[in-house]
Structures are given as C-alpha cells and as structure tokens.
Amino acid sequence: MQKLLIATLLLSCAVSCSDEPPPPKPKKAPDSKPVAKPSDLPKPPPPPPPPTPEQEKPKPPPPAPKVLLDPTLPEWSQTAPAEFKAKFATSKGDFIIQVTREWAPRGADRFYCLVKNGYYNDVRFFRVISGFMCQFGVNGHPDVNAAWKNNTIQDDPVTQRNTRGTITFAMRGKNTRTTQVFINFDDKNTRLDGDGFAPFGKVVEGMEVVDKLFSGYGEGAPRGNGPDQARLQAQGNEYLNAEFKNLDYVKSATIVQ
C-alpha cells in the first residue's frame, strides 16, 4: 500500500510539473541605430571669407599750380640767359638740353619760362616716332591746356639745322608756337628747316635716354595708334593713364645753369 501511494505522488508530480509555463524567452536587444562613419558625415560648409577692405578710390591729381593757369603773369615774360641748361628727369633716365638764345630768341625765352615755372613736370612723351622725333608739351591738367591753347609766340628765323638731338617748337602754321616741343632723332630732319621749325637748343647729355623713350604707339590718332591730341588737350593725363599706360614721362624739369 505504501508503494502504491508513492507511485501516485510521483505521477501527480510529473503531470503538475509539465503544466508549468515555459520560462520567458530573453528579449532581443533593440536594434541599435546605425552610426555614421566620419567619412559619411556631411562636410560642414566652409567658413565665410573674411571681409575684404574697401578698395581705396584713386586720389584725384593735385590741382595745377596757379602760375600755370595764367600766362599773363610776369613769370612768363622773363628773358632767358644767353645760354642755359635744362635738366629733364624722366621715367627712362635723365637728359640735359643746352639752350643758346641767339639761335631762336623767342623760342628760348618761352622754353626758359616753361621749364622754370614747372610746366613740363609730369608731362608725357605722347608722340614718339622711331627715326623721326619725340614730342611732348601737353600739360596733364586740362585747365592748363585751355589757358595756353591760344597763347602763341611769333616765329623765329631758322638759323640752325634740325639735326639729331636738336630741340624745336612744334607748330601748326605760322606764328602758332605755344608749349609743345620735339627732339629730333635723325639728321634727315633737316628737311624741316624749310618749314620754319627753328631749333633753339640741343641735347648735350643723355641722348641715349631720349632714344629709349617708349615708341610703341607710333603716330597719333587718327593716322596711327597713338593718343588723340584733341582728347589729350581736353582730358590731360587722365586720358593717357587710362589708355596709354606705357608712355614715358617727365618727372621734373629744372634750370641747372
């Protein structure tokens, strides 16, 4: 009887144990979000460029000296010495002109006053033709050009020949000389003698500097690619600086003897 009771207990235990709920299944860890690699991250926008300083506006040229604006002042009626030298410091170097008043008195007097009063300072060699001549004498200030446009001098007799190195006033006809002059490059320019071009001086030092003055533009407009004289008279150096930057120029011209 005792054995039967034990067997019954074991059987009931086996049945009851089989009804126990199964142990809970372990929960899966939630899928972690993919982590981007550094190379996959979007590149940050570049930093803004530093603010650029405002560009300085070009300074207007200083006004012309008052003496240049009035050709009737006594400074313009001086008589030149019998002989004197004028030194021209240029963008290519220096040259010296010796003037002999006896050669062309009116031209010598005008040139002496122009140099002494600073007229040729910062003036461009605006017409340079190889094998012929280099011309200058239009002021960088339009108001100065207007003041001198009709301030002419009478012609001088031609006593010297237009040979290499001589300097002569340019003109557009009889008794029309004002401020423009030219230096002859070649002895062949003696053909100008018969047209009334009267030399008043000659380059005695630095002719090699004169030979090196920029001649790339050639003859002036409209016949060539050089500056237009009408625009040059009206606009001065502003016109040349904008469109003819290669032109050589006079830094200063002074009487040295």
Side-chain angles (χ1 to χ4, degrees):
M1 187 67 181
Q2 186 177 4
K3 292 182 179 180
L4 180 62
L5 181 60
I6 293 171
T8 302
L9 290 172
L10 292 172
L11 180 62
S12 61
C13 179
V15 173
S16 62
C17 289
S18 64
D19 292 337
E20 289 182 3
K25 295 181 179 179
K27 294 182 179 180
K28 293 183 179 180
D31 294 337
S32 59
K33 294 181 180 180
V35 178
K37 298 178 180 179
S39 59
D40 296 332
L41 294 175
K43 295 181 179 180
T52 56
E54 292 185 3
Q55 293 184 348
E56 293 185 3
K57 294 181 180 179
K59 295 180 180 179
K66 291 183 179 180
V67 67
L68 299 184
L69 297 170
D70 188 356
T72 66
L73 293 175
E75 287 88 341
W76 301 107
S77 59
Q78 299 177 63
T79 299
E83 286 190 353
F84 68 91
K85 290 181 179 179
K87 179 179 179 180
F88 282 74
T90 80
S91 50
K92 278 291 196 299
D94 300 347
F95 63 86
I96 293 178
I97 295 170
Q98 179 167 318
V99 176
T100 303
R101 188 175 184 273
E102 186 181 28
W103 289 6
R106 296 185 184 96
D109 290 347
R110 171 59 61 91
F111 184 73
Y112 176 77
C113 292
L114 289 169
V115 174
K116 188 174 181 180
N117 290 302
Y119 179 92
Y120 291 118
N121 296 345
D122 203 32
V123 161
R124 277 29 176 190
F125 296 94
F126 71 91
R127 183 174 177 236
V128 183
I129 302 175
S130 297
F132 181 32
M133 56 90 229
C134 67
Q135 186 170 337
F136 62 102
V138 179
N139 197 267
H141 296 275
D143 48 354
V144 174
N145 295 326
W148 285 88
K149 184 176 181 180
N150 297 314
N151 197 271
T152 59
I153 57 174
Q154 297 292 302
D155 291 342
D156 283 306
V158 179
T159 65
Q160 305 296 313
R161 310 212 69 186
N162 282 276
T163 54
R164 173 172 166 80
T166 54
I167 182 169
T168 306
F169 271 93
M171 59 185 185
R172 56 184 182 275
K174 288 187 176 182
N175 303 317
T176 58
R177 297 181 297 174
T178 55
T179 61
Q180 294 189 46
V181 295
F182 64 89
I183 299 173
N184 290 297
F185 282 141
D186 199 287
D187 288 343
K188 294 178 182 178
N189 288 1
T190 53
R191 65 182 184 274
L192 300 175
D193 300 346
D195 295 326
F197 292 96
F200 58 86
K202 186 171 184 177
V203 176
V204 292
E205 292 181 35
M207 190 61 195
E208 69 280 1
V209 172
V210 180
D211 288 334
K212 292 188 295 184
L213 297 173
F214 183 79
S215 61
Y217 299 123
E219 183 59 273
R223 289 182 293 172
N225 297 320
D228 179 276
Q229 281 205 47
R231 288 187 64 186
L232 174 53
Q233 292 276 354
Q235 300 174 32
N237 282 350
E238 182 179 357
Y239 163 56
L240 298 182
N241 291 340
E243 300 188 27
F244 300 93
K245 297 180 180 180
N246 292 329
L247 291 176
D248 285 304
Y249 61 94
V250 179
K251 294 181 178 180
S252 64
T254 53
I255 303 297
V256 293
Q257 180 180 324

